[in-house]
Amino acid sequence: MNRIILTTDDAAFEQRVRDAFQPSLNGDLRRVDYMTAQSLEDLVGEKGSATEVVALGPGIDIDIALNLAQRFDIERPEISVLLVAPGSPGLLERALRAGVRDVLAPDADAVELVRMFDRAADVAQRRRSALGPDVVADSPTGKVITVVSPKGGSGKTTTCTNLALGLAALAPGEVVLVDLDLQFGDVASALQLDPEATMADVARASSVDPAAVKVALTSHQMGLFVLCAPESPAEAEEITAGQIARTLQVLADEFRYVIVDTDAGLSEHALTAIEHSTDLICVCSMDVPSVRALHKELLALEQLGLVPGRKHFLLNRADARVGLAASDIEATVQLPIDVSVPSSRAVPLSLNQGSPVIQSDPRSPVARQFMSLVKRVADEPATTRNAGFLRRRKDAR
């Protein structure tokens, strides 16, 4: 971890941070007096300095701290800002809108201190990469992994929830799952979540900015965040493709992995997610209609120029004896099967209990196959999004 700047006169808090990181901090922390600073450079050094995280507080007036955070967000976006202050109604939303990465309680224990500072530093490092001269301006800094299937009931949500939990085990706090089955999505049910806000709340915000998106996230106990589908199918009509695109861009800037569950077929919402994806996971069951439909879906995406560079083919219920051979399916879909998930009563049981098999039965054959998908996704470096939008614009001329 690189340098941390504490803007506080609370020496006891400084010592607690040092103790939490011992022996790994190695002097990379400095406490400064914000009252004597004439500029941001006086606090954190010139651009290109080692500073990655600035903690505002404890003991700083909230309005002063939020004004400082706004200046950092505008003038020094490569630096992550933490607000160290007691929680209060509305504070988190105000802080996020000012550009604060997170709000940290002054009495947080050592584990929480390390977790929050590490997460902020990781975001700062990815922001610096994104701001570098060799980075394409519209490419995501994290992976956007969209799961598709032309047929309902093929196992998209099961795939998404297990993939998200598997990645969260590798990168806690750096994974977000987006339920874009906006009318009838059930990710919240599959993970036993009771969201206070959904994608509909993001759409109703005055602007789709990081603050509006982050306050709508629901946290899962396994280190995962979820942007849930609206409670009512009617609310889905309020959400535009542009709002979805902006939401995915915001999340890709903040998280290492963004997993997107979609509705069946190629709705406008699904096409928008695919357009902004680095990875496409195609889910298919062991039946002729499902196989043929997936083949048609991939052909349509190719014609639109919307197939990301990395595709993963997951065959669900792969051990079903229904007169179909895996080789025949590969020949029809024109993709090699990467993951073969066997049939198991543990899958519907896990959905009913709100505990994906990768969590509830990690040694099962189903969980092992989902872990192989996790490794495929995690081991490959992120690349730029596909150029589908440009191709669609060009074709339309």
Side-chain angles (χ1 to χ4, degrees):
M1 184 172 189
N2 287 330
R3 182 167 300 164
I4 298 170
I5 301 296
L6 303 181
T7 56
T8 179
D9 58 5
D10 190 335
F13 180 76
E14 176 191 4
Q15 190 57 52
R16 288 179 50 237
V17 175
R18 291 187 182 278
D19 291 343
F21 279 98
Q22 289 296 345
S24 62
L25 199 56
N26 294 326
D28 285 339
L29 181 147
R30 184 165 58 95
R31 180 163 61 94
V32 300
D33 183 359
Y34 76 96
M35 295 291 290
T36 62
Q38 300 297 314
S39 66
L40 295 188
E41 285 68 29
D42 290 342
L43 291 175
V44 298
E46 300 290 337
K47 288 185 178 180
S49 69
T51 304
E52 291 186 344
V53 181
V54 172
L56 303 176
I60 297 181
D61 178 82
I62 293 298
D63 290 333
I64 293 175
L66 295 183
N67 284 335
L68 275 172
Q70 285 182 323
R71 290 186 58 194
F72 274 110
D73 193 43
I74 295 170
E75 299 176 35
R76 300 294 294 273
E78 78 279 9
I79 295 175
S80 286
V81 177
L82 292 176
L83 176 62
V84 186
S88 62
L91 177 60
L92 178 60
E93 183 171 358
R94 287 183 64 200
L96 293 175
R97 289 194 181 280
V100 171
R101 176 65 180 86
D102 238 323
V103 177
L104 174 64
D107 59 352
D109 61 23
V111 173
E112 182 70 358
L113 287 172
V114 171
R115 186 178 74 87
M116 295 285 270
F117 276 101
D118 276 348
R119 280 178 54 187
D122 187 64
V123 169
Q125 290 165 9
R126 289 188 284 119
R127 282 179 177 174
R128 291 182 182 206
S129 296
L131 293 168
D134 298 327
V135 177
V136 179
D138 68 342
S139 66
T141 55
K143 293 184 180 181
V144 180
I145 306 140
T146 297
V147 181
V148 299
S149 177
K151 295 286 187 178
S154 61
K156 291 193 307 296
T157 298
T158 298
T159 299
C160 286
T161 53
N162 281 280
L163 174 62
L165 284 180
L167 289 171
L170 300 177
E174 291 296 324
V175 181
V176 62
L177 171 55
V178 181
D179 192 349
L180 275 191
D181 187 351
L182 296 176
Q183 288 190 317
F184 302 106
D186 52 8
V187 166
S189 174
L191 291 173
Q192 213 170 18
L193 298 175
D194 185 17
E196 295 182 1
T198 70
M199 183 65 202
D201 295 283
V202 176
R204 284 192 288 263
S206 57
S207 64
V208 181
D209 56 21
V213 174
K214 286 190 279 189
V215 297
L217 300 180
T218 302
S219 61
H220 186 273
Q221 60 182 349
M222 301 302 290
L224 164 72
F225 291 91
V226 182
L227 181 55
C228 297
E231 292 287 335
S232 166
E235 291 180 297
E237 301 302 320
E238 305 171 9
I239 302 170
T240 68
Q243 290 168 330
I244 290 172
R246 176 58 183 153
T247 298
L248 294 178
Q249 290 167 355
V250 167
L251 292 174
D253 284 339
E254 298 290 336
F255 292 89
R256 187 178 302 175
Y257 301 105
V258 181
I259 299 120
V260 184
D261 191 9
T262 59
D263 51 358
L266 293 176
S267 67
E268 185 179 18
H269 297 148
L271 287 172
T272 300
I274 295 168
E275 185 175 327
H276 290 79
S277 297
T278 58
D279 294 67
L280 190 69
I281 298 177
C282 306
V283 180
C284 180
S285 298
M286 287 285 288
D287 59 83
V288 171
S290 181
V291 173
R292 288 179 174 173
L294 179 59
H295 175 58
K296 292 178 181 178
E297 183 174 62
L298 289 173
L299 284 178
L301 291 176
E302 288 177 2
Q303 291 170 358
L304 292 171
L306 285 178
V307 181
R310 291 199 304 272
K311 299 182 289 292
H312 315 271
F313 184 15
L314 183 146
L315 184 62
N316 202 12
R317 307 179 189 98
D319 57 348
R321 299 179 180 178
V322 292
L324 280 178
S327 57
D328 294 332
I329 294 173
E330 290 178 326
T332 300
V333 177
Q334 298 180 3
L335 282 178
I337 297 170
D338 299 304
V339 180
S340 298
V341 178
S343 300
S344 172
R345 52 189 301 273
V347 174
L349 182 63
S350 70
L351 285 171
N352 291 337
Q353 294 178 338
S355 178
V357 291
I358 211 167
Q359 176 187 6
S360 61
D361 192 7
R363 296 185 180 180
S364 67
V366 172
R368 287 200 295 268
Q369 286 298 311
F370 281 126
M371 277 307 303
S372 71
L373 178 63
V374 170
K375 292 176 181 177
R376 280 185 61 85
V377 171
D379 287 347
E380 294 178 346
T383 59
T384 60
R385 288 176 294 228
N386 70 76
F389 177 71
L390 296 177
R391 287 188 56 180
R392 287 164 65 190
R393 287 285 298 271
K394 189 181 295 183
D395 293 342
R397 291 177 180 173

